[in-house]
Amino acid sequence: MFGYEQVIDKLRRSTVQVLNGRGGGSGFVWDSNGRIVTNAHVVSGGQTEIIDASGQRHTARITKCDQERDLVLIEVAGTGLEPAAIGDSQSVRRGQIVLAIGHPLGINGAAAAGIIHAIGPLGFGARKNWIQADIRLAPGNSGGILADAAGRVIGVNTMIFHGIGLAIPVNEVNQFVVGQAWRARAA
Amino acid sequence: MESANNLLELSNQLAHAVEIGEKSVVAVNGRPHVPSSGIVWRAGVVVTTDHTLKRDEDLTVTLADGRNLPATLAGRDAGTDLAVLRLADDNGQTTVAAKTVSDASVKPGNLVLALGRRGKDGISASFGVLSAISGAWRTWRGGQIEQFIRPDVNVYIGFSGGALVDVEGGVIGLNTTGLTRGTGITLPASTVTRVTDELLSRGRVRRGFLGVGLHPVQLPDGAKGLIVLSLEPNGAALKAGVFVGDVLLMLDGEPVNDTDDVQSHLGGDQVGKTIVAEVLRGGSRLKIGIVPAER
């Protein structure tokens, strides 16, 4: 038997709480260099701190930002944080099981399960690409992991639209991490 | 990850069910803004919900393969919230008709998926369990439904008219939010098939109509009946000599306690055939023959 519990345990170890002085959200460990991905709207404000899965507090530094796509990369010094397994958002199928880990409404490491609802823009001329999930999320899930049934990250939970969870496809996150972008919101 | 990941197997099974089920789920363009969903019930015939169809003409259907075909309205029935469309250009050649599962095979707790299509964007899905299943019921608009099926799934905007499928992709029924408050319910495949047959052959679902307004009352002896509060001008009951204030006790020899009991005597086959009403008027019982009209 290999089910929800084991997958969620693993995802929890790579999930961090992100604090910005006023509130916060979730984030996850991208690689073994201690780089953490979260939403730009989660870190807006003052001093950014993270609390890792073991409860330790770290001061974080924002090293890359894309306001348009709502992503930031933050770094913490001297870690040993466990990186998440990164999946491929190109190969997701509608109906497949997804899991979200985060800190909805301040609850630590909470898990939610659902399925892929649809893939693509919201329609009506929208351009942004989303993984749309039939899953119950709440504020505080922002910046956290959306994973497949094998525990691989396929998206970053970012918004809730008419009850549907919207996640940035992880392949776009990868482009952001390797790219040069420090894009401000289009004025 | 070890290979025996049960969660991954279930995940693949659900994705497979969507791929099977979505072949017969279409988008119905019959209202402004968001299209509703529909199901190809048989070759060239699409079933959708009546309440989401805001016009009778200028209808199109977007198929699973992306084609957008003109469609004509074969008939609609507000009672069961169903409408049937014929695909104009199809001739039954290229549509994939839904594979239905029998009403008897579905059980509370079964895993299910709701499928909807919003135009060319492709299929959308939501997931949950069957939360309640019980016997035949009648909608608030008088339609007869073979089985009550309530799934615990999100019925998103545009999902009405779409399919509820099992983990094999077999169609359990058609989802609608038009017959209940709050969450949606599923019309069983048997009801969809019966109403589709009737709408294709007659263009409407026939129902007997007495033309009376009734309210349940209890009589001094404890018996129950329905008091006549109003009579439709030129209605069947008025023509037969029913008065306001009469208390309806029986129809065709069977006691009637509430309006559901009355409705169950007014199926389409009762139209034009005399039904014997026993009423209490001024303390005495009398029998009146009424010929129900069609509605």
Side-chain angles (χ1 to χ4, degrees):
Chain A
M1 183 69 194
F2 195 90
Y4 282 109
E5 247 183 273
Q6 289 86 341
V7 178
I8 286 163
D9 267 356
K10 181 187 159 354
L11 292 169
R12 269 210 184 112
R13 292 198 292 275
S14 304
T15 298
V16 301
Q17 197 169 351
V18 181
L19 304 170
N20 65 19
R22 292 176 308 179
S26 309
F28 64 97
V29 184
W30 180 261
D31 58 21
S32 51
N33 300 330
R35 295 200 288 180
I36 289 162
V37 168
T38 184
N39 283 137
H41 77 260
V42 167
V43 299
S44 66
Q47 181 66 45
T48 304
E49 280 188 312
I50 66 137
I51 302 174
D52 67 26
S54 63
Q56 278 201 304
R57 232 170 232 270
H58 307 263
T59 309
R61 192 168 58 89
I62 300 171
T63 58
K64 198 182 279 187
C65 176
D66 184 345
Q67 290 281 3
E68 181 86 21
R69 190 66 264 207
D70 199 1
L71 285 171
V72 289
L73 198 63
I74 55 184
E75 282 182 21
V76 295
T79 53
L81 296 175
E82 185 175 324
I86 306 300
D88 175 14
S89 53
Q90 202 61 44
S91 63
V92 299
R93 298 157 77 196
R94 291 154 214 252
Q96 79 172 63
I97 289 176
V98 291
L99 301 163
I101 306 289
H103 307 285
L105 309 168
I107 301 160
N108 255 333
I115 62 160
I116 297 284
H117 170 75
I119 302 150
L122 290 168
F124 314 117
R127 287 195 344 266
K128 266 184 197 162
N129 213 27
W130 296 106
I131 292 179
Q132 304 175 27
D134 175 43
I135 192 167
R136 188 168 298 186
L137 300 180
N141 275 112
S142 275
I145 291 173
L146 187 75
D148 66 11
R152 295 171 296 219
V153 178
I154 54 171
V156 177
N157 294 314
T158 299
M159 273 169 62
I160 303 162
F161 179 76
H162 288 288
I164 297 166
L166 301 184
I168 302 167
V170 78
N171 293 9
E172 290 190 29
V173 179
N174 192 43
Q175 283 171 19
F176 161 74
V177 171
V178 301
Q180 300 294 317
W182 186 288
R183 274 198 290 171
R185 191 182 298 277
Chain B
M1 286 291 137
E2 56 187 281
S3 58
N5 181 338
N6 292 350
L7 194 60
L8 198 53
E9 276 171 35
L10 175 60
S11 181
N12 287 335
Q13 177 77 42
L14 294 176
H16 182 66
V18 172
E19 279 160 16
I20 300 292
E22 75 144 320
K23 290 176 187 164
S24 59
V25 176
V26 299
V28 175
N29 307 297
R31 63 174 177 180
H33 311 302
V34 189
S36 57
S37 298
I39 308 173
V40 179
W41 207 252
R42 52 185 70 137
V45 174
V46 168
V47 186
T48 184
T49 38
D50 172 70
H51 82 274
T52 53
L53 209 54
K54 300 297 185 197
R55 53 181 191 255
D56 289 349
E57 290 172 336
D58 191 24
L59 303 169
T60 63
V61 166
T62 309
L63 300 176
D65 61 15
R67 283 180 301 153
N68 199 37
L69 299 183
T72 53
L73 181 65
R76 59 197 302 173
D77 176 47
T80 53
D81 195 24
L82 288 170
V84 173
L85 312 176
R86 279 197 185 91
L87 294 180
D89 293 349
D90 194 54
N91 300 322
Q93 295 306 304
T94 52
T95 49
V96 180
K99 286 194 175 59
T100 57
V101 297
S102 80
D103 291 2
S105 68
V106 293
K107 295 183 174 62
N110 280 163
L111 298 179
V112 289
L113 293 152
L115 303 180
R117 190 179 294 281
R118 297 186 192 119
K120 285 187 171 58
D121 294 347
I123 203 79
S124 307
S126 62
F127 174 58
V129 299
L130 283 176
S131 71
I133 293 179
S134 54
W137 62 292
R138 192 175 293 281
T139 71
W140 62 279
R141 302 187 99 161
Q144 178 71 25
I145 311 292
E146 270 77 353
Q147 197 178 26
F148 180 82
I149 305 176
R150 184 188 288 283
D152 178 25
V153 295
N154 288 320
V155 182
Y156 291 109
I157 298 163
F159 267 41
S160 271
L164 190 77
V165 302
D166 64 13
V167 291
E168 309 277 340
V171 175
I172 296 165
L174 180 144
N175 301 319
T176 175
T177 54
L179 294 171
T180 47
R181 288 194 185 148
T183 58
I185 52 126
T186 304
L187 300 172
S190 54
T191 301
V192 178
T193 298
R194 173 177 57 79
V195 173
T196 299
D197 286 342
E198 199 160 351
L199 290 177
L200 284 175
S201 65
R202 239 192 298 269
R204 61 186 184 278
V205 172
R206 293 209 306 171
R207 210 161 277 136
F209 185 56
L210 293 178
V212 283
L214 298 167
H215 192 272
V217 286
Q218 192 161 14
L219 301 172
D221 64 0
K224 285 177 178 170
L226 292 137
I227 191 162
V228 177
L229 297 179
S230 62
L231 288 162
E232 195 92 347
N234 292 317
L238 183 68
K239 283 185 200 162
V242 174
F243 287 169
V244 169
D246 286 353
V247 178
L248 180 64
L249 300 172
M250 299 220 210
L251 281 174
D252 274 348
E254 288 177 25
V256 286
N257 292 333
D258 53 39
T259 47
D260 262 11
D261 291 349
V262 177
Q263 293 271 19
S264 67
H265 282 274
L266 296 173
D269 49 357
Q270 190 66 50
V271 174
K273 291 184 199 152
T274 303
I275 189 167
V276 178
E278 190 168 325
V279 304
L280 188 66
R281 180 185 296 168
S284 47
R285 288 170 173 245
L286 63 151
K287 287 181 177 167
I288 303 171
I290 309 174
V291 182
E294 183 183 330
R295 177 169 185 157

Short mmCIF file of all heavy atoms in Angstrom, two decimals, chain A residues 28 30 37-38 69 71-73 89 153-156 168-179:
data_model
loop_
_atom_site.label_atom_id
_atom_site.label_comp_id
_atom_site.label_asym_id
_atom_site.label_seq_id
_atom_site.Cartn_x
_atom_site.Cartn_y
_atom_site.Cartn_z
N PHE A 28 8.05 26.41 -1.40
CA PHE A 28 8.63 25.06 -1.36
C PHE A 28 10.10 25.12 -1.82
O PHE A 28 10.50 26.02 -2.55
CB PHE A 28 7.82 24.07 -2.19
CG PHE A 28 7.77 24.36 -3.66
CD1 PHE A 28 8.63 23.73 -4.54
CD2 PHE A 28 6.86 25.27 -4.17
CE1 PHE A 28 8.59 23.99 -5.90
CE2 PHE A 28 6.81 25.55 -5.52
CZ PHE A 28 7.67 24.91 -6.39
N TRP A 30 13.13 24.41 -3.85
CA TRP A 30 13.29 24.10 -5.26
C TRP A 30 14.50 23.18 -5.50
O TRP A 30 14.43 22.24 -6.29
CB TRP A 30 13.46 25.40 -6.06
CG TRP A 30 13.64 25.19 -7.54
CD1 TRP A 30 14.81 25.19 -8.22
CD2 TRP A 30 12.62 24.94 -8.50
NE1 TRP A 30 14.59 24.95 -9.54
CE2 TRP A 30 13.24 24.79 -9.75
CE3 TRP A 30 11.22 24.81 -8.42
CZ2 TRP A 30 12.53 24.53 -10.92
CZ3 TRP A 30 10.51 24.56 -9.58
CH2 TRP A 30 11.16 24.41 -10.81
N VAL A 37 10.83 28.63 -3.92
CA VAL A 37 9.90 29.29 -4.85
C VAL A 37 8.62 29.62 -4.09
O VAL A 37 8.12 28.81 -3.30
CB VAL A 37 9.59 28.37 -6.05
CG1 VAL A 37 8.41 28.90 -6.86
CG2 VAL A 37 10.81 28.20 -6.95
N THR A 38 8.10 30.81 -4.34
CA THR A 38 6.77 31.16 -3.83
C THR A 38 6.17 32.22 -4.75
O THR A 38 6.77 32.59 -5.76
CB THR A 38 6.85 31.65 -2.36
OG1 THR A 38 5.52 31.89 -1.89
CG2 THR A 38 7.65 32.93 -2.25
N ARG A 69 4.07 37.18 -13.66
CA ARG A 69 3.70 35.77 -13.50
C ARG A 69 3.50 35.42 -12.02
O ARG A 69 3.19 34.30 -11.68
CB ARG A 69 4.78 34.91 -14.16
CG ARG A 69 4.50 33.43 -14.32
CD ARG A 69 3.38 33.05 -15.28
NE ARG A 69 2.10 32.82 -14.65
CZ ARG A 69 1.14 32.03 -15.13
NH1 ARG A 69 1.31 31.39 -16.27
NH2 ARG A 69 0.01 31.90 -14.50
N LEU A 71 5.73 35.27 -9.43
CA LEU A 71 6.70 34.32 -8.88
C LEU A 71 7.89 35.05 -8.27
O LEU A 71 8.31 36.09 -8.79
CB LEU A 71 7.23 33.38 -9.98
CG LEU A 71 6.30 32.27 -10.47
CD1 LEU A 71 6.91 31.60 -11.70
CD2 LEU A 71 6.03 31.25 -9.37
N VAL A 72 8.42 34.52 -7.18
CA VAL A 72 9.71 34.98 -6.69
C VAL A 72 10.55 33.78 -6.31
O VAL A 72 10.03 32.69 -6.00
CB VAL A 72 9.63 35.91 -5.45
CG1 VAL A 72 9.08 37.26 -5.80
CG2 VAL A 72 8.85 35.27 -4.33
N LEU A 73 11.87 34.00 -6.35
CA LEU A 73 12.83 33.02 -5.88
C LEU A 73 13.49 33.63 -4.65
O LEU A 73 13.94 34.78 -4.70
CB LEU A 73 13.86 32.75 -6.98
CG LEU A 73 14.69 31.48 -6.87
CD1 LEU A 73 13.81 30.24 -6.95
CD2 LEU A 73 15.72 31.44 -8.00
N SER A 89 4.82 19.62 -16.09
CA SER A 89 3.43 20.08 -16.21
C SER A 89 2.88 19.86 -17.62
O SER A 89 1.68 19.97 -17.85
CB SER A 89 3.30 21.55 -15.80
OG SER A 89 4.23 22.35 -16.51
N VAL A 153 6.11 17.89 -8.03
CA VAL A 153 5.48 19.21 -8.16
C VAL A 153 5.08 19.43 -9.61
O VAL A 153 5.90 19.29 -10.53
CB VAL A 153 6.46 20.32 -7.72
CG1 VAL A 153 5.83 21.70 -7.92
CG2 VAL A 153 6.87 20.11 -6.28
N ILE A 154 3.81 19.78 -9.84
CA ILE A 154 3.38 20.12 -11.20
C ILE A 154 2.94 21.57 -11.31
O ILE A 154 2.80 22.09 -12.40
CB ILE A 154 2.25 19.18 -11.70
CG1 ILE A 154 1.07 19.18 -10.72
CG2 ILE A 154 2.77 17.77 -11.93
CD1 ILE A 154 -0.15 18.45 -11.25
N GLY A 155 2.75 22.23 -10.16
CA GLY A 155 2.36 23.64 -10.23
C GLY A 155 2.52 24.34 -8.90
O GLY A 155 2.77 23.72 -7.88
N VAL A 156 2.41 25.69 -8.97
CA VAL A 156 2.47 26.53 -7.76
C VAL A 156 1.08 27.15 -7.56
O VAL A 156 0.60 27.92 -8.41
CB VAL A 156 3.51 27.66 -7.93
CG1 VAL A 156 3.52 28.56 -6.70
CG2 VAL A 156 4.89 27.06 -8.17
N ILE A 168 0.35 27.88 -11.28
CA ILE A 168 1.29 28.16 -12.37
C ILE A 168 1.97 26.85 -12.75
O ILE A 168 2.52 26.16 -11.88
CB ILE A 168 2.36 29.18 -11.92
CG1 ILE A 168 1.70 30.48 -11.45
CG2 ILE A 168 3.36 29.45 -13.05
CD1 ILE A 168 2.63 31.41 -10.69
N PRO A 169 1.93 26.46 -14.03
CA PRO A 169 2.55 25.19 -14.44
C PRO A 169 4.03 25.18 -14.09
O PRO A 169 4.73 26.17 -14.28
CB PRO A 169 2.34 25.15 -15.96
CG PRO A 169 1.20 26.09 -16.21
CD PRO A 169 1.28 27.14 -15.16
N VAL A 170 4.51 24.05 -13.57
CA VAL A 170 5.88 24.01 -13.04
C VAL A 170 6.93 24.22 -14.14
O VAL A 170 8.02 24.72 -13.87
CB VAL A 170 6.13 22.70 -12.26
CG1 VAL A 170 6.38 21.52 -13.19
CG2 VAL A 170 7.28 22.87 -11.27
N ASN A 171 6.58 23.90 -15.39
CA ASN A 171 7.55 24.14 -16.46
C ASN A 171 7.80 25.63 -16.65
O ASN A 171 8.91 26.05 -17.00
CB ASN A 171 7.07 23.52 -17.78
CG ASN A 171 7.04 22.00 -17.72
OD1 ASN A 171 7.21 21.42 -16.65
ND2 ASN A 171 6.82 21.36 -18.86
N GLU A 172 6.78 26.45 -16.39
CA GLU A 172 6.97 27.90 -16.45
C GLU A 172 7.80 28.38 -15.26
O GLU A 172 8.56 29.33 -15.37
CB GLU A 172 5.63 28.62 -16.48
CG GLU A 172 4.89 28.43 -17.79
CD GLU A 172 3.66 29.33 -17.92
OE1 GLU A 172 3.65 30.44 -17.33
OE2 GLU A 172 2.71 28.91 -18.60
N VAL A 173 7.62 27.71 -14.12
CA VAL A 173 8.42 28.04 -12.94
C VAL A 173 9.89 27.75 -13.22
O VAL A 173 10.77 28.53 -12.88
CB VAL A 173 7.93 27.25 -11.70
CG1 VAL A 173 8.78 27.60 -10.48
CG2 VAL A 173 6.45 27.53 -11.43
N ASN A 174 10.12 26.63 -13.89
CA ASN A 174 11.49 26.26 -14.24
C ASN A 174 12.13 27.31 -15.15
O ASN A 174 13.28 27.72 -14.93
CB ASN A 174 11.48 24.88 -14.91
CG ASN A 174 12.88 24.31 -15.03
OD1 ASN A 174 13.66 24.41 -14.08
ND2 ASN A 174 13.20 23.76 -16.19
N GLN A 175 11.37 27.76 -16.14
CA GLN A 175 11.88 28.82 -17.03
C GLN A 175 12.23 30.06 -16.22
O GLN A 175 13.25 30.72 -16.48
CB GLN A 175 10.81 29.20 -18.06
CG GLN A 175 10.69 28.21 -19.20
CD GLN A 175 9.47 28.52 -20.07
OE1 GLN A 175 8.96 29.63 -20.03
NE2 GLN A 175 9.01 27.54 -20.80
N PHE A 176 11.37 30.37 -15.26
CA PHE A 176 11.61 31.54 -14.40
C PHE A 176 12.89 31.36 -13.59
O PHE A 176 13.71 32.27 -13.49
CB PHE A 176 10.39 31.74 -13.48
CG PHE A 176 10.67 32.60 -12.28
CD1 PHE A 176 10.82 33.97 -12.40
CD2 PHE A 176 10.77 32.02 -11.01
CE1 PHE A 176 11.07 34.75 -11.29
CE2 PHE A 176 11.03 32.79 -9.90
CZ PHE A 176 11.19 34.17 -10.03
N VAL A 177 13.09 30.17 -13.05
CA VAL A 177 14.24 29.94 -12.18
C VAL A 177 15.55 30.02 -12.98
O VAL A 177 16.51 30.63 -12.53
CB VAL A 177 14.14 28.57 -11.47
CG1 VAL A 177 15.44 28.24 -10.75
CG2 VAL A 177 12.98 28.57 -10.47
N VAL A 178 15.56 29.44 -14.19
CA VAL A 178 16.80 29.45 -14.97
C VAL A 178 17.00 30.75 -15.73
O VAL A 178 18.11 31.09 -16.12
CB VAL A 178 16.88 28.26 -15.97
CG1 VAL A 178 16.81 26.93 -15.22
CG2 VAL A 178 15.79 28.35 -17.02
N GLY A 179 15.91 31.50 -15.94
CA GLY A 179 15.99 32.73 -16.74
C GLY A 179 16.55 33.90 -15.97
O GLY A 179 16.94 33.80 -14.81
#
